[in-house]
């Protein structure tokens, strides 16, 4: 995938970082965002540059309704300056935070935050990006296993991810004439910092996850990034409008 450019939100850590590294290993230039962890973003740039690939990080606050459009303006201005044109090939909507509250505990402010970070920001960042995605490009939206199965405390978060899955099918339909494919990757429980690191650090939760996963362990970030890179590649050129769950077979 030489001469291709990916733009990934939230790649300073966790799943996004592994997506960035997997795409960089294929020679893809990486533009990515972080929220506040500049040191981690710098580490990712160093790792990508060690592969002989260019990388650049941008700040993104998905909870600010205007920041998606501002971010895209910054990214496309950077590309225009670097390459003489503002376009890129792959958009990966990954950034996000969790919420662990039952329906009874969820306040309107919690719901609005999940809506803004996981659904509205994805919708409008993608809208701003569409004119700049090259013909034959690919959009990958990160959802969650929690849209297929349910755990108490995840309703507001999972509802927004469900919306992202519907949005993805509409993207696939509306962008098909430009040969841009749109797909969802829905990870199961993965051991990252997400959710206060519970999938990595909470042994009781880890035991439950192992017991309900056909492959018998908790997922790692390294289980996911390669799937996203595959979906961006030509090997996946007939996969469009699909949801691919990457969970080791949770709750089959
Ligand atoms: N881990 C799981 O079990 C799991 C399962 C299913 C789906 N997912 C989804 O996978 C995606 C990535 O999760 P992860 O596990 O990699 O999480 P993570 O390790 O906590 O990383 C989150 C990433 O998003 C950025 N970020 C955090 N808050 C943000 C905000 N308000 N605005 C913009 N960027 C923000 C972070 O930047 P900083 O480093 O600067 O903070 C970081 O790059 C999320 O959409 C999540 O819902 C995760």
């Amino acid at each position: 995938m030489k001469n291709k450019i990916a733009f990934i939100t939230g790649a300073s850590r966790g799943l996004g970082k592994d997506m960035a590294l997997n795409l960089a290993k294929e020679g893809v230039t990486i533009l990515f965002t972080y929220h506040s962890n500049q040191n981690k973003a710098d580490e990712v740039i160093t790792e990508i540059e060690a592969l002989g690939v260019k990388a650049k990080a941008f700040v993104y606050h998905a909870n600010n309704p205007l920041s998606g459009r501002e971010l895209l303006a910054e990214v496309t201005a950077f590309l225009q300056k670097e390459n003489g044109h503002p376009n890129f090939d792959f958009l990966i909507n990954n950034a996000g935070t969790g919420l662990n509250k039952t329906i009874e505990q969820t306040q309107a402010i919690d719901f609005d935050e999940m809506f803004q970070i996981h659904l509205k920001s994805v919708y409008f960042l993608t809208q701003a990006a569409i004119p700049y995605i090259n013909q034959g490009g690919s959009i990958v939206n990160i959802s969650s296993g929690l849209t297929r199965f349910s755990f108490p405390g995840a309703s507001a978060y999972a509802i927004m991810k469900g919306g992202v899955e519907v949005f993805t099918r509409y993207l696939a339909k509306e962008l098909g004439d430009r040969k841009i494919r749109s797909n969802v990757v829905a990870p199961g429980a993965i051991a990252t910092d997400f959710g206060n690191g519970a999938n990595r650090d909470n042994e009781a939760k880890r035991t439950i996850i192992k017991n309900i996963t056909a492959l018998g362990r908790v997922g790692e970030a390294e289980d996911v990034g390669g799937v996203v890179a595959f979906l961006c590649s030509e090997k996946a050129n007939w996969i469009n409008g699909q949801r691919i769950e990457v969970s080791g077979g949770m709750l089959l």
Side-chain angles (χ1 to χ4, degrees):
M1 289 195 271
K2 290 254 182 279
N3 302 321
K4 301 287 186 193
I5 302 168
F7 176 48
I8 311 169
T9 63
S12 43
R13 296 182 277 134
L15 304 184
K17 176 180 177 180
D18 193 62
M19 294 166 201
L21 290 172
N22 271 280
L23 284 160
K25 281 177 195 155
E26 303 287 332
V28 177
T29 297
I30 306 295
L31 310 182
F32 70 95
T33 72
Y34 64 99
H35 178 259
S36 46
N37 227 323
Q38 195 183 342
N39 288 345
K40 290 284 175 197
D42 287 343
E43 283 173 26
V44 173
I45 291 175
T46 304
E47 281 189 56
I48 292 172
E49 286 179 346
L51 297 167
V53 167
K54 285 188 195 166
K56 164 93 177 156
F58 300 82
V59 173
Y60 179 40
H61 291 183
N63 17 6
N64 172 353
L66 294 177
S67 66
R69 197 154 284 280
E70 289 166 2
L71 171 65
L72 246 293
E74 212 186 323
V75 168
T76 52
F78 170 79
L79 287 170
Q80 178 72 42
K81 197 162 164 236
E82 280 284 298
N83 302 337
H85 61 80
N87 285 15
F88 56 95
D89 300 285
F90 311 130
L91 171 66
I92 297 149
N93 284 304
N94 164 74
T97 54
L99 176 74
N100 184 12
K101 290 191 178 178
T102 64
I103 296 166
E104 286 187 302
Q105 292 164 341
T106 299
Q107 307 284 316
I109 193 171
D110 302 319
F111 190 92
D112 288 347
E113 187 180 49
M114 286 293 106
F115 171 59
Q116 176 58 46
I117 291 178
H118 284 288
L119 186 54
K120 189 173 177 182
S121 74
V122 170
Y123 189 100
F124 286 102
L125 181 68
T126 305
Q127 182 192 70
I130 284 170
Y132 300 102
I133 300 176
N134 283 324
Q135 168 129 347
S138 173
I139 297 173
V140 182
N141 291 327
I142 305 307
S143 177
S144 168
L146 290 164
T147 61
R148 179 178 64 82
F149 47 77
S150 313
F151 283 109
S155 65
Y157 166 78
I159 286 167
M160 306 313 162
K161 292 296 201 187
V164 164
E165 295 186 6
V166 174
F167 177 44
T168 307
R169 289 197 293 276
Y170 277 84
L171 284 168
K173 197 90 170 171
E174 294 192 15
L175 303 183
D177 58 350
R178 288 172 54 198
K179 310 296 175 231
I180 294 171
R181 296 175 296 104
S182 303
N183 291 291
V184 163
V185 166
I190 314 286
T192 66
D193 295 335
F194 189 80
N196 297 319
N199 296 339
R200 184 188 55 221
D201 305 331
N202 180 331
E203 278 310 322
K205 188 175 182 199
R206 287 177 64 84
T207 301
I208 293 168
I209 295 166
K210 284 178 203 169
N211 288 338
I212 58 171
T213 301
L215 292 179
R217 65 170 173 83
V218 178
E220 300 292 334
E222 293 73 21
D223 293 317
V224 180
V227 179
V228 172
F230 162 72
L231 283 173
C232 291
S233 76
E234 283 189 5
K235 289 177 190 157
N237 74 352
W238 205 235
I239 301 179
N240 194 20
Q242 300 304 304
R243 173 190 189 271
I244 299 186
E245 193 170 299
V246 186
S247 71
M250 272 181 87
L251 289 166
L252 292 175

